[in-house]
Structure formats: structure tokens, C-alpha cells
Amino acid sequence: MDLVPVIQQRFSANAFLPDPVSPEALDRILEAGRRAPSAKNRQPWRFVVIQDAGYRRKIQEAAYNEPWVGQAPVIIAVCSTNIDYRMPNGQLAYPVDLSFASAYMELQAFHEGLGCCINTTFQEDDIRELLTVPYSMRILLLLVIGHVAEKRTGEPHRLSKARIVSYEHW
Ligand SMILES: Cc1cc2nc3c(=O)[nH]c(=O)nc-3n(C[C@H](O)[C@H](O)[C@H](O)COP(=O)(O)O)c2cc1C
């Protein structure tokens, strides 16, 4: 149960092959999202899976024509089903809950040998209309998933632990 290798190999893929994602792998990715934790276990999410080529092209247009968004055979629009609930600390729950679900799905995608990229660079209203997402709900992000065309070269920059971790005080 060593997760670190999967975490280490994860990177934001931005070139995909047209090869399909198997229904079994997609189902396991969605299962990973379904199993994610959420505040008060409210699970305020809906995962809209887009595989249709015409829809993917329209999503690519709404994503400022970023080519790789339309290249990947699967896009999951991670949407809220409640945008009001606040956690006891006063902060909104849905961005946190949906981010956990997205992270679980992204890691499962890499565990399946696939690539994934998070995309937040899109016109929400255009995608809302296309996918008939209710006006009161939000599309937090898109997970763009497929077989990667180019692997990452080199290690990504990350701040050192000395910079980001402290003990007993800030
Ligand atoms: C909340 C969030 C939003 C992001 N939005 C975008 C995006 O709109 N377009 C994009 O190309 N990458 C996006 N990314 C990917 C980041 O740019 C990427 O994770 C970061 O540069 C680190 O690179 P790595 O994922 O390869 O380690 C997003 C990542 C996160 C966590």
C-alpha cells in the first residue's frame, strides 16, 4: 500500500493520445471519487463524464481552445450539488470536498497508467449550458484524462520541507 510512487509519478499531462480509456478504469476512477471524504459526509458532488467527441470539442472551445482538453478521450466535470454549507471553521465546504474527490480521481488515473490534468481555465457558463448544470451550482474544475503522449521530463519544482513545514509554531 505504498502511495508515494504513484504521487511521485503524477504530473499534469498536457498531451494525450486518442486511445480510449477502458470502461473498467473509468469506473475505478469514479469509484475513487465516490469514496473521498467530505465535510459531515455530505458528498456535495456530481461527476459529469464527457466522452462524446462533439461535446469534448465544445468543452475545448470553452477552455480557450487549449488543444489537449479536446485530445483526451475523457473529461470529468467536477460539479457541486450544494454551495452553501460552511464547515465549523466558517469556511465553505464544497471547494474543499470537491478538491478531495478530484485528487482521489487524479491519483487513481495515474495508478491506472493514465495521465490527467486539472483544468480551471474555462468559461463556466458555456460548459454549464452544454452540460445542463443548474444555475445554482458550480463547476469547480475539469479533470482531463487519457493516455499520455508525452511523459514528464525532470522533477517538478517543489518548495523544500524546511520552507513549508514547522513544528509547534508557525
Ligand atoms: C486548483 C488547480 C487548478 C489548476 N488549473 C490548471 C489550468 O487551468 N490549466 C492547466 O494547464 N493546469 C492547471 N493546473 C495544474 C497546475 O498548473 C500544476 O498542478 C502545477 O503547475 C504543478 O505541476 P504538476 O501537476 O505537473 O506537478 C491546476 C492545478 C490545480 C491544483
Side-chain angles (χ1 to χ4, degrees):
M1 274 267 288
D2 193 359
L3 257 184
V4 173
V6 181
I7 292 170
Q8 273 175 343
Q9 72 170 27
R10 188 213 59 83
F11 67 102
S12 293
N14 55 14
F16 294 92
L17 300 169
D19 309 19
V21 169
S22 76
E24 294 79 15
L26 177 58
D27 188 63
R28 286 189 292 267
I29 291 167
L30 294 165
E31 179 66 8
R34 189 176 81 88
R35 295 269 171 187
S38 60
K40 284 264 171 76
N41 198 22
R42 292 167 63 95
Q43 306 162 63
W45 44 55
R46 187 163 187 91
F47 311 134
V48 183
V49 181
I50 304 111
Q51 295 173 290
D52 176 84
Y55 270 46
R56 288 191 286 111
R57 213 167 18 254
K58 289 199 172 122
I59 289 189
Q60 182 189 334
E61 283 167 22
Y64 302 92
N65 261 314
E66 201 65 82
W68 49 267
V69 174
Q71 272 171 9
V74 175
I75 300 173
I76 302 176
V78 180
C79 307
S80 63
T81 55
N82 174 294
I83 56 167
D84 300 321
Y85 179 68
R86 286 179 185 272
M87 301 176 285
N89 65 8
Q91 295 175 32
L92 271 177
Y94 86 87
V96 181
D97 294 335
L98 271 53
S99 297
F100 269 100
S102 301
Y104 277 39
M105 288 192 277
E106 189 185 30
L107 284 179
Q108 183 63 30
F110 273 86
H111 187 57
E112 299 285 347
L114 299 164
C116 179
C117 192
I118 300 160
N119 190 289
T120 51
T121 310
F122 57 80
Q123 307 264 19
E124 188 181 12
D125 282 344
D126 292 353
I127 298 183
R128 177 194 301 288
E129 196 175 326
L130 181 71
L131 305 180
T132 62
V133 175
Y135 275 97
S136 51
M137 292 305 146
R138 303 302 305 264
I139 305 163
L140 187 78
L141 55 83
L142 305 173
L143 290 177
V144 181
I145 299 170
H147 295 268
V148 295
E150 287 166 29
K151 297 228 163 163
R152 175 175 68 190
T153 51
E155 275 294 300
H157 170 69
R158 288 295 192 264
L159 300 175
S160 69
K161 283 203 204 70
R163 170 95 179 266
I164 62 168
V165 180
S166 59
Y167 295 89
E168 325 316 343
H169 62 83
W170 174 276

